[in-house]
Structure formats: C-alpha cells, structure tokens
Amino acid sequence: MFSRILVANRGEIALRIIRTCKELGIETVAVYSKADKDALYLQCADAHVCIGPGESNGSYLNIPGIISAAEITDIEAIHPGYGFLSENSHFAEVCESSNIVFIGPSSEVMTKMGDKTQARNIAIENKIPVIPGSDSTVEDQQQALKVAHEIGYPVLIKASFGGGGRGMRVAHNDISLVNSLAIAKREAEVAFKDSSVYMEKYIESSRHIEVQIVADKYGNVIHLGERDCTVQRRHQKLVEQAPAPNIKDQLREDICKAAIKMAKGVNYTNVGTVEFVVDGEGKYYFIEMNTRLQVEHPVTEMVTGIDLVAEQIRIAHGERLNLRQKKVKSEGVSIECRINAEDPDNDFRPFAGKITKYSAPGGKGVRVDSHVCAGYEVPPYYDSLLGKLIVHKKSREEAIACMKRALSEYRIEGVKTTIPLHLNIISDQRFATGDIDTHFVENLIGEK
Amino acid sequence: MFSRILVANRGEIALRIIRTCKELGIETVAVYSKADKDALYLQCADAHVCIGPGESNGSYLNIPGIISAAEITDIEAIHPGYGFLSENSHFAEVCESSNIVFIGPSSEVMTKMGDKTQARNIAIENKIPVIPGSDSTVEDQQQALKVAHEIGYPVLIKASFGGGGRGMRVAHNDISLVNSLAIAKREAEVAFKDSSVYMEKYIESSRHIEVQIVADKYGNVIHLGERDCTVQRRHQKLVEQAPAPNIKDQLREDICKAAIKMAKGVNYTNVGTVEFVVDGEGKYYFIEMNTRLQVEHPVTEMVTGIDLVAEQIRIAHGERLNLRQKKVKSEGVSIECRINAEDPDNDFRPFAGKITKYSAPGGKGVRVDSHVCAGYEVPPYYDSLLGKLIVHKKSREEAIACMKRALSEYRIEGVKTTIPLHLNIISDQRFATGDIDTHFVENLIGEK
Amino acid sequence: MDLIEKVKNLILLMNENSLAEIEVEEEGTKIRLKRNNLDSIQTSVQMPAVKPSLQQEGSTKYLTSKDESGVAEVVAPMVGTFYTSAPGADPYVSVGDDVGEDTVVCIIEAMKIMNEIKAETKGKIVEVMVENGTAVEYGQPLFCVEASG
Amino acid sequence: MDLIEKVKNLILLMNENSLAEIEVEEEGTKIRLKRNNLDSIQTSVQMPAVKPSLQQEGSTKYLTSKDESGVAEVVAPMVGTFYTSAPGADPYVSVGDDVGEDTVVCIIEAMKIMNEIKAETKGKIVEVMVENGTAVEYGQPLFCVEASG
C-alpha cells in the first residue's frame, strides 16, 4: 500500500479522504491556500503545505504548485477529490510523467469522457440509449436549425466541455434557438475556453439517476447500484438518495447493466459515475460519465457498506477488486442533504463569513461529513458547501423522519444556509412518494 | 402511540431520547435544572420546564417537581433515561398512581432487582451460576469470617443496594476482612442509606460481559446479544464493545440463554441488561440485572440496527414485540468510548468549566451522541459524561482503526477530557486482541 | 493625601466593588481610571436563551434578591399551577398591598397539593406577573415587590 | 515627586491592578495612560496555529510588506526547494548585502525548474531565514530586509 498520499483538494472532501487514509494507515499531506490556513481539518493531516493564494487559480488549480508540494513531501500518490483538478486530464498526465500515481482513471479515459460528444458516441457504439440530438458539435445556425427540425422542439444546447449548468440553454422554437445558440457558445467560451456546443432533445419531465461504477486495472468492473439526484436547483444537486425511490426493478437493472457496458467499453479504471436521465415513461438515456468521486458518494457507501475512497486507493495501487457483484448488497435507504452557505433571500448566492455557532446533529443513523466548526470562516473563493448530512435507515419512511429531525437540530449561525430549504424539501409529500422531476425544487420555492 | 412524553433526565441521554421521539412523531417535554438552562439540546424538545436548582436533589431527583411538570404539560409517559430516577421503584410507583406510564419495567421488578441479594437468589432459583458467597446480607464480623472461610480468600464485600464501586472492598485475609467490612458498611450507609452488605468470592482476573434483553408485556423475551464492558477504571466503564471479542461461541450462547431465563423468571418487561463476570477459565457468573437503558446501549444498536429507545417506548405503550429472536442479526463490530470531562493529572476528577472549542469527528462509521458544543458550560453538579463516540465497522480491526482516527480528530478545549486515555487504550495491543481483564486500564496507566 | 495615595485608594474601591471605570474631579484634581473588563469577554459568548416553554412565553430571570432599583421578585419555588387565591376566596394579595416576609401571596398546586407561597421579602406589590390558573416553572417570577425599607 | 516618578508609580499601579486606562489631572498637570487590551483573554479563544508541516518547523507569517519597524520580508512566491545559490556558485546574497527590487536573492526549484527569486524590495539583508536546500511553502519568509529608504 502507499505510505503517503497528497490530497489535492480542500474542505469536506479533503477531510473525507484524510479520514480513510488514517484508517488505512496511510500518511497524508494536505495542500492549502492562504484562505484556508486556519482551517481545523488541516490538523488531521500528517503534514500540510501552503501552495498559493486564496484564488483557486494560484492554489487548488495550480498544477506546478501541487506537483512541487508533492515532490518536497515525497508522496507516492495524489487524490484529487472532486471539482478542481479531478477531471483535468492534463493534471493526470503531469502526475504520470512525474512518477506520481493519480488516484483516478487514466488520462486517456478522462480525455475521452471529458468531451461530451465523444462520450455520447461511445455510448451509441455500446448500444446505450442517448437522447436524440446532434452526433457532433453544432457549428452554426443552419446546422442547429436542421438538427432541431429533425429531433423536434424543445431542444437543449449544451457546452461540449461543460458542466454545472453553464453553457446550457433550452430553445422552444427557431427564434429562441438562434438566440440561445449564440449565448450558449459565448458562455462556453468564457467558462470552459472552448465554444463547442452540441444539441439534444430537451426532456421536460425527467429524473436524474446515476450508477456508481468500480473497476480495477484487470478488467473487473462492478456497479454499486444507483443514486437518485433528481432534487436539483438550476442543475445543482441538493438532495441525493440511494436506492432511487419509485422506479421499476427492470429499469434499475437496465441502467446498471448499461453503466457497466459503458465502463467496459472504455477500459475504465477506478471509481466513476454514469449519469442518466429517465423520462416520464421510464425510458433512460445516457448523459455523461464522471471520471471521479462524486459529492454524493456517501449514500452509496451507507447502503453498501463499502468505503469508496478506500476502493479508489486500492485500485490505484494496483490491487484487484476484492468485491464481487453478487456479494454487493444494498441495505436500507440513505439520503444526503448538501448543506451550503447560501442566502435563500438573495437567489441562493454563496454566503461567506464567520460561523459563530455550530452544532451538528448526531445519534443513530446520522453521518456528518463536514470540515467546519464554530469559529470557521467561510472563504469567498470556493463553492459554498459546508458539509453533507447523510442518514441511513431501514426504510424510506424512517430515513425521511431521521433526516427531518437531524436537519431540525443542525445549528449554524453567522452564515445563512440551505438547511431551511432542505427541511422544506424533506417535509414535502411529493418527495416522500418519490413522485418528482428535476423541476421539483423550482416549483416548491416558486422560482422560474 | 403516545403523543407526548416527558424526558426526566439531562445531557446526552435526554437528547438521545428526544431524537428517537422526534423520529417517531412524539412530542417531548424536557425538564431541566437551573444549571442546565442554557443547554442547546433543550431547544430540540418541543417544550422544556425548569424543575429546580442545579443540585440533583432539587431537580433531577425531585419526584414531586417532575410529576408536577408532567401534570402541567399534559404528558402521557415519562422516560427516565439512566441514572437519576431510572432505577427508583418508588418513582415508578408514583408514575403509576398518577396515571403516567413509566417507560421501564414494573415497580415490583425494579424493587426485586434493586436488592442485590434478592436478585442473586432469583438467579440461583433459575439455575444461573452466581459467584460463591453469602446468600444473604452479612450482619457481623463472625458471620463474615465464616463465609470467608467457606468460600476462601480473596473475597469481595458489596453494598446490597449499591453501585458504581461505592461500598465495595476486597479482603485478602481475616484482618483486612474485619477492617473492610466496617468501611464498606459505613460507605453503604452514607451512599445508599442502607448499610447492608453481602460477600462473594473475589475473581482476580475477570471480564465484564452483559446481555441486552428486550421483553414485551405478553411474555415475549429476546436478547440482542452481548456487550463487553471489561475496560473499566475503578468500576467505571470506559469502553464498551459488541460483540465481545475473543470469547467462545458456546459461552456467548450460554450467557444469552441465562439472561433470557433470568428475565422470564421475574416476568421482566421493557429493556434491561443482565450482567455477568467471566473468569479466566471462561466460567460465567451472574452479578446483577439493570432495569433500565444502559449508557452503552448504542453499540448494540449499531450491530443489530435496532433502536432501543423506540423499542422501550413501543413496549411501554403496550405493543407486542415485532422482533423475532431468529431475525435479530449482529453485523460487524461496534465500539463506544465514553468522553468524560475529567482531569487525568488529578485522579480523573470531574472537570467543570466552559468548552471553548469543540469539533466532533464525523464520516463513515462514526456516531456521536453528545449534547455539548462550543460555548457549553459543563456544570459541576452531575456526572462528567460529555458524550459518547461510537464506531461501527465490518471487522474489529477496522473498528479500532476508525475509533483511533475519530478520537484523534475530536477537539475539545476548555476542559480536560478522557480522549487521550482512550487513544492510549485503543492503541494498545492487548485491547486489539481482546486479551484483557478488568484491571487492564489500571495496569495501563500505572495505577493501584 | 497625595495623588498616588488617592489613586491607590480609588483602585481599592474599584476592586472591592468590581467597578470598570472611575472618574473623580475635586478642587482641580481630576482622576479617571478604567479597567479592562475581564468578565465581559467571557460572558459575551453566551448561548442564546432557551426557547420558551409550552406554558410560559415570558423570560425567566431567577432573581431572588433585590436589584438596584429596590424592586424584588417573588419567584416560584417549585413547578406547578399558580393560583392567586384559595378556591372560592379573594386573592391573597393585589397590586398596592403591603407584604411581609411571611405573607402568603399565592398558591402553587403541585401533585394535587396546594402549597402556600410566602413573599420572603418586605414591601409593596407592584405587579402580579402571572395569570391566575397558569403553569409556572421553578424560578419563574410571580410578583414584583417594591422594597419598603 | 517629579513627573516621571509620578508616571512610573501610576504605571506600577496599572500593572498591579490590571487597569486599562488612567487619567489624572492635578494643578495643571495632566497624565493619561492607556494600555492595549490585555491579550491574555482574547488570545485564549484563538484557533491554535496549524501544525508545522513535514519540512518546516517555523511559523509562516505571509508578510509581504514592510512592518512598522521598516523591516520587510521576502517571501516564497511558490512551493519548492530553496537554494541560496546557483549550483556550484556563491550565494546570491548574504547578510549585510544591499539589494534592489530586481536583485536575485535565491532560487526556488519547483518541478525541476530553477526559479530565480527577486527581492521585490529595496534595502539591506539582515537575516537569511531558511537553510539552503530545504523546502519552503508558498508565502514563507525567506529573507529579512531592512528598508533603506
């Protein structure tokens, strides 16, 4: 096993990775920006190195700085967490060429899957349903109109290298298509430095369901079941669940099989997630594959009992999977709420500031993954995630009751959070039955 | 189901009970002393009533005050927690006569089991092994010497109505017996207002193993397996585990059967614990039955998945057990560390004061049952328990690794705690193998 | 008394009376002393007041002694139901009444027992703080009494 | 008692009695003393400093500008290994040397690249704060420079 790993991330996921390393007896080096220098979680690492200023570009996205920190601390592998450099294939390449193990898939696979149109074509080759749309990037108005008339309105324009809702537009007719195309291309250029976009049929009422994949370097690929991430606000996931409520066993089986086919089709290694949308009639379509650990991975850990970070590290170290598909069992129901420092009265904008009082929930069935405590300063530079509240109970009913009481005892003062919104979501009857689509939150809070 | 319950306790166990009530949809009334008036956990209850001053006698032991609070808040049942009035059969009687359901066994059973010599005789009637000793209280020196010569030295003198190590003395010869008898009787008189003592063979190297019992009002009695509470300091439990490590399956089966026999023998209802000592040769002896929830109940909850407080409430409400012995499965390993505010440099004396900084561990496999947070003032009136850190993992090795990392990330400043002692215990090789007896901690820290 | 002597004496007074600041001016001599507020910092981080209970929306002050203004509070010595009078009788006391330490001011019913509550202070009732027939907590203020001497 | 004597005595009193401020005025003489807040209380609630990193036991101050005393620190603009000189050459600078903004003071090796670090300030080197060949963090002070103007 590795004796020392560098964690190239911050906040709750850095702490999450450090925790598993400690349990595996692996030393950790945390890198941090000046904005994070007082964060308590850094004390959990065996060593920590300041790599740059608060701005991500100079620190958590600073490849030479991170590699340099890796060299001076003599580590053997780097865990990129999620976000930041986790899906940056160039970073993975630099690690490889610096003789550092990148804990994730190969840079080739990352490159393939990072290009949405290429990923879509791989799905088609593997006979996995995709949403009708352009098979390649859409270059100009004329081509866009042609595609739109083929697949029918409404259509969705998406950035080829995008994510997080940027460079994404819905068009309902020719005029809005022409406008949206221009805006989407410009957003894509600004956000991802590549203006390529593609188009697909827009599915009005859909659910977001994804499958967790684990694959070793010897061709063994298994899935750990699905997660339902339908509860979103503006394409940002808020609540995730495992297993997905209210779906047919056949659908569950089909998407899990499709996910494995996809992973095998690209010789995927390490953990990854294959994302699908499911329409109102229960038809599923591949959307993309995330070549990293997901924020919402704990719900899968709770129902399967498997530590995904430990699997990542073992696989990256070259070990064979000691999990067998038949032995993986999903027990009970797990729900996760993302607790963000956001201002509900101000369009859920990130809310930086000092946490003056903090008391996390506890007790049976409750897991808290958070790096904050009373006195913590939420820096203005990064995403607004303060932590994740995860529950695990035997039944969905009990899980919802447990989440409700845990949310109600969660005390955070000094910054505004999404806790009231989550209480609202969790108490909703439609959430209880699972009869929701991706517009659920916007309808609930009267947006849009 | 009950619609409102009064929680006649404080601190972590009050919060523990409130949590389950919330999940069951039952309203809660918390009673509190003036010393606890600012405690954050009171906000988790639906209502709270001040019943007296900081001193327990005027508040948490104040039966008229609690009953009066129950009357003005119109509750249907009282949960006594552990400690305070939980084993006070008079309190249970007052509840009964006030038409309030006491969440626990009947006052008759509590009376029987509260008298150690009577409990011992019941065990003998039910053919459960007891430690050789006096079958009744020892009245004078002559009787004591006679018993000692029959069973052989060393002998243990114990208060008939005692607990927590008070009124307890070991004697190795006639002279020390005469002295110890006088001291033990005086201690018993002071601590329990009854100077009765009894004697038994003192087992030098022993383990403390107890069995969790659940019994409804219709004669259905099951056990939820055993807990090992061998890690003690001066008869105070520090670390508890389920299942007990390093014991033979036959022994496990035997003590669980004995515990059920004991419970059935007295028509026991609600949850309870039958305690045994196990000597170096694997022989077991009944010591006592606790007619209440134990501090260490969470380790049983983790391995069985059963919420013991929910079971208590359902049984007290008159429901039939929906658990079947065969369906109860113990999975994985759970360990609990009691985090006390105590000063290791000062004979582990309780350490009152303000908690200036607090950050509890989290992540996979970690459960925290605690009522404290940064800013909490530890009052000088009550026991020193700040909370319980519980882990649950698939194997003992993983559970120990998880506990070690969780303890190492637990930050409490302002008061001294037992965290360093626990790290010491958990890191010990003898603890890992389970090859320890009740003297383990004293040997470890060089006491005695 | 020279200046330093004066200052010393003032400091003594400050310490004995926990004063934070003293300012004196006398025949052209002006002295001002200020101390770091040692306790204020430690108490400034206090937890917010607990949520009011089911029965009682008001704040609970637990004052048992007179405050600076010479107003004392009679507080509930037990949990129970507050009655201004014995059943069918007139209230024990009303606003304006003078009470002595042994004057019965109300009844608190607890566990079916009617407990007569004494004023434990001397003075004039200026406020009855609880409605007849409502529940009271331990330490809850019941009456405001203006000290008579 | 002369003025200085008086002030000394007042200071003594302040220290002995933990006063924050003293102001006295007497026969045309006015003395006012004020002390910065005792740090003991406020610092007692501070977060502890982060654990020193593997390579570096010293504290990290991140000073990039001159402090009041006119002393500036040259800090590491990147993570890497600190060298006082090019391989086989003499140190770029030593204590007592004058430097300008563009004077190269050391090399930081990061990812096999030798980065020449400039002083970015004007003055005299008064301390070399890091050993040759050791690792440095971003923002770590490397040299103390006394401002020359």
Side-chain angles (χ1 to χ4, degrees), chain D residues 26-43:
Chain D
E26 189 191 34
E27 296 155 16
T29 307
K30 190 172 165 181
I31 303 172
R32 191 165 156 267
L33 302 172
K34 187 173 176 180
R35 196 165 32 176
N36 274 324
N37 252 351
L38 302 170
D39 346 33
S40 61
I41 295 152
Q42 275 161 340
T43 55

Side-chain angles (χ1 to χ4, degrees), chain B residues 42-170:
Chain B
L42 293 175
Q43 296 185 22
C44 294
D46 295 284
H48 46 271
V49 179
C50 184
I51 51 164
E55 295 78 11
S56 308
N57 274 330
S59 49
Y60 300 110
L61 292 173
N62 172 0
I63 295 178
I66 291 168
I67 298 292
S68 200
E71 285 172 347
I72 66 174
T73 53
D74 197 23
I75 55 88
E76 295 160 76
I78 292 183
H79 197 304
Y82 53 70
F84 294 127
L85 298 170
S86 62
E87 290 183 293
N88 184 317
S89 57
H90 170 60
F91 179 58
E93 266 168 39
V94 175
C95 287
E96 285 160 22
S97 69
S98 305
N99 264 327
I100 295 167
V101 176
F102 175 83
I103 300 174
S106 67
S107 55
E108 296 97 293
V109 172
M110 287 168 72
T111 305
K112 272 185 202 164
M113 290 301 167
D115 178 347
K116 302 292 162 64
T117 50
Q118 206 182 332
R120 189 173 187 274
N121 290 333
I122 293 169
I124 294 169
E125 282 163 25
N126 285 282
K127 304 204 170 64
I128 298 166
V130 296
I131 299 174
S134 61
D135 293 331
S136 60
T137 56
V138 174
E139 300 302 333
D140 53 28
Q141 282 183 24
Q142 220 168 337
Q143 196 191 342
L145 289 166
K146 187 166 165 270
V147 172
H149 296 161
E150 270 170 31
I151 63 177
Y153 286 107
V155 297
L156 185 66
I157 308 164
K158 287 169 96 174
S160 297
F161 297 91
R166 282 177 300 179
M168 203 182 272
R169 278 285 180 289
V170 178

Side-chain angles (χ1 to χ4, degrees), chain B residues 4 27 29 32 34 36-40 42-53 58 63-69 71-74 94 98 354 373-377, chain C residues 41-56 60-64 75 77-82 108-113 115 134-140:
Chain B
R4 196 182 297 149
E27 283 187 12
V29 175
Y32 64 99
K34 272 174 72 169
D36 283 330
K37 72 184 163 61
D38 293 326
L40 196 57
L42 293 175
Q43 296 185 22
C44 294
D46 295 284
H48 46 271
V49 179
C50 184
I51 51 164
I63 295 178
I66 291 168
I67 298 292
S68 200
E71 285 172 347
I72 66 174
T73 53
D74 197 23
V94 175
S98 305
K354 187 181 199 135
C373 58
Y376 178 82
E377 295 261 5
Chain C
I41 295 156
Q42 277 157 341
T43 55
S44 68
V45 218
Q46 273 191 350
M47 313 278 286
V50 291
K51 200 168 59 177
S53 74
L54 264 189
Q55 310 293 324
Q56 169 64 15
T60 308
K61 284 193 229 149
Y62 305 114
L63 289 184
T64 49
V75 301
M78 64 185 69
V79 181
T81 307
F82 170 86
I108 293 180
E109 180 192 342
M111 292 189 72
K112 318 264 183 291
I113 291 164
N115 302 281
T134 59
V136 292
E137 295 187 290
Y138 173 82
Q140 186 174 332

Side-chain angles (χ1 to χ4, degrees), chain A residues 171-414:
Chain A
H172 289 266
N173 53 50
D174 286 1
I175 295 166
S176 76
L177 176 62
V178 170
N179 284 332
S180 300
L181 182 69
I183 296 169
K185 281 178 95 69
R186 204 179 314 141
E187 278 186 358
E189 175 64 39
V190 171
F192 314 109
K193 288 174 188 149
D194 189 316
S195 68
S196 316
V197 296
Y198 65 103
M199 275 169 62
E200 58 186 36
K201 176 95 184 152
Y202 177 61
I203 295 169
E204 305 247 17
S205 178
S206 66
R207 290 172 65 182
H208 177 116
I209 297 179
E210 60 187 28
V211 177
Q212 179 67 54
I213 287 295
V214 183
D216 68 15
K217 292 180 175 172
Y218 312 98
N220 301 304
V221 184
I222 62 166
H223 72 81
L224 302 186
E226 82 288 354
R227 291 184 289 258
D228 186 319
C229 310
T230 302
V231 181
Q232 306 183 347
R233 185 185 163 273
R234 303 199 178 160
H235 306 288
Q236 301 290 335
K237 295 170 190 169
L238 284 167
V239 179
E240 298 99 349
Q241 316 170 57
N246 196 22
I247 64 166
K248 297 222 167 85
D249 284 346
Q250 187 60 50
L251 174 62
R252 197 186 307 274
E253 210 176 287
D254 289 347
I255 59 170
C256 290
K257 270 188 193 158
I260 286 189
K261 239 197 304 184
M262 189 75 195
K264 286 195 166 165
V266 292
N267 292 320
Y268 194 86
T269 57
N270 216 289
V271 313
T273 300
V274 185
E275 298 198 329
F276 300 92
V277 290
V278 175
D279 70 13
E281 283 132 47
K283 279 191 212 149
Y284 68 95
Y285 307 94
F286 168 83
I287 20 176
E288 63 179 35
M289 181 163 192
N290 292 326
T291 58
R292 54 164 168 90
L293 194 67
Q294 303 278 99
V295 177
E296 61 271 24
H297 76 278
V299 294
T300 299
E301 293 187 325
M302 298 318 279
V303 295
T304 62
I306 293 164
D307 184 324
L308 278 166
V309 173
E311 292 304 322
Q312 286 193 290
I313 294 171
R314 286 193 201 107
I315 291 167
H317 190 251
E319 293 178 25
R320 279 175 183 277
L321 270 192
N322 54 6
L323 303 165
R324 293 285 162 272
Q325 188 67 65
K326 278 187 190 166
K327 296 231 170 143
V328 174
K329 272 180 215 155
S330 178
E331 282 186 26
V333 171
S334 181
I335 303 176
E336 172 183 287
C337 286
R338 298 191 189 191
I339 312 299
N340 296 331
E342 288 176 2
D343 185 355
D345 301 326
N346 203 353
D347 200 29
F348 291 91
R349 254 183 248 163
F351 196 110
K354 188 184 198 126
I355 294 180
T356 52
K357 192 151 107 196
Y358 182 83
S359 180
K364 187 168 181 293
V366 171
R367 167 175 170 182
V368 179
D369 276 30
S370 173
H371 60 296
V372 313
C373 58
Y376 178 83
E377 296 260 6
V378 182
Y381 302 104
Y382 317 112
D383 73 25
S384 55
L385 188 67
L386 296 179
K388 303 177 309 204
L389 175 55
I390 304 121
V391 299
H392 182 216
K393 285 276 173 170
K394 283 183 183 164
S395 71
R396 182 165 170 78
E397 203 184 346
E398 287 171 295
I400 289 174
C402 183
M403 181 57 89
K404 213 186 278 187
R405 80 96 179 139
L407 284 167
S408 75
E409 75 185 57
Y410 213 147
R411 291 271 179 284
I412 302 178
E413 290 180 17

